Amino acid sequence: MKGKFILVIGPSGSGKGTLINHIRSLFPSLVYPKSCTTRSPRGGESDGHYIFLNAEDFKARADRGEFLEWAEYGGNYYGTLASEVLPLLSEGRIALKELEVQGARQVREKIPRNQLAIVFVNAGTWGEMEERIRARAPMAQAELERRKLRYEDEMNFMREADFVIANPAGRLDEAKKQFESVIASLIS
Ligand code: 5GP
């Protein structure tokens, strides 16, 4: 393994997806391994970032050891297939992926630290996150509550990050610039 795996961490609603979308066209050499999830697609989300699986399928793959990491989050399963990442690292590529923290901890156990970079997106209080989540797409109150329960654990990971991007409300352009320069430093 000689490539690098960039993990983008931060609570639900912190803006990880927006920041990642911003850099997509800027760094053509980066690759974006897909995730598997059992949650339902949001409107207009039929392909791209996620491979949508039913719970039975997901569990079978987990039992067969196909995942580099997987976790339950907000009442659904999310995971990264080893086959989506390890071949890329062996080829010396740089892969970037957003993850929740339980998965990030598993990745840290499996990938040498000098091939990992952890970027944390800090967007403020739960109240602010909740507003963003509600604005993004309809979500059942129960799922929102479960995301709130995960908020503290996600925020505690900030101290373990190599880079922290501040993304408070109204400062998205600055956050994009910060993120861009962190990624530029990692791929140079
Ligand atoms: P969402 O349902 O909002 O798309 O994602 C919920 C959470 O799961 C987010 O924090 C996101 O970063 C995380 N996530 C997305 N894909 C994966 C994955 O493959 N593994 C893990 N552990 N978390 C993921």
Side-chain angles (χ1 to χ4, degrees):
M1 269 198 277
K2 45 193 169 21
K4 195 178 285 177
F5 197 11
I6 303 174
L7 306 185
V8 182
I9 317 291
S12 182
S14 57
K16 300 175 297 259
T18 305
L19 294 175
I20 293 170
N21 282 338
H22 168 68
I23 58 151
R24 267 176 203 275
S25 58
L26 301 177
F27 303 104
S29 63
L30 277 180
V31 278
Y32 302 91
K34 289 194 181 209
S35 296
C36 296
T37 185
T38 60
R39 87 151 160 71
S40 316
R42 297 187 187 123
E45 203 189 23
S46 53
D47 52 6
H49 178 62
Y50 284 120
I51 300 164
F52 294 98
L53 300 177
N54 62 40
E56 198 182 324
D57 216 8
F58 193 103
K59 282 294 204 181
R61 285 170 179 267
D63 289 346
R64 290 199 296 268
E66 291 182 21
F67 288 110
L68 176 66
E69 62 76 29
W70 68 272
E72 201 213 322
Y73 178 95
N76 295 299
Y77 297 119
Y78 294 81
T80 312
L81 293 169
S83 61
E84 283 280 318
V85 175
L86 300 183
L88 293 170
L89 298 186
S90 303
E91 287 164 22
R93 308 285 303 270
I94 302 179
L96 181 146
K97 191 165 200 301
E98 64 158 291
L99 288 182
E100 55 69 70
V101 298
Q102 303 165 88
R105 292 191 186 106
Q106 295 166 42
V107 171
R108 252 190 345 198
E109 301 292 310
K110 292 185 179 165
I111 308 247
R113 193 64 183 92
N114 63 359
Q115 289 186 278
L116 268 187
I118 301 178
V119 183
F120 188 91
V121 182
N122 177 17
T125 63
W126 169 251
E128 288 164 292
M129 299 310 94
E130 187 178 2
E131 257 179 57
R132 293 182 188 200
I133 295 169
R134 286 184 187 280
R136 181 167 66 189
M139 184 177 287
Q141 190 60 28
E143 187 176 347
L144 197 60
E145 288 299 323
R146 287 193 290 259
R147 284 176 187 236
K148 182 179 178 186
L149 289 176
R150 301 283 322 148
Y151 174 79
E152 286 300 325
D153 193 25
E154 296 280 327
M155 287 302 280
N156 283 335
F157 203 78
M158 183 158 42
R159 66 176 75 105
E160 298 176 54
D162 301 307
F163 304 92
V164 176
I165 308 294
N167 188 22
R171 308 280 283 278
L172 182 59
D173 282 346
E174 283 163 60
K176 283 179 176 172
K177 286 284 166 216
Q178 270 184 41
F179 191 59
E180 205 178 305
S181 62
V182 164
I183 302 302
S185 73
L186 289 170
I187 66 179
S188 61

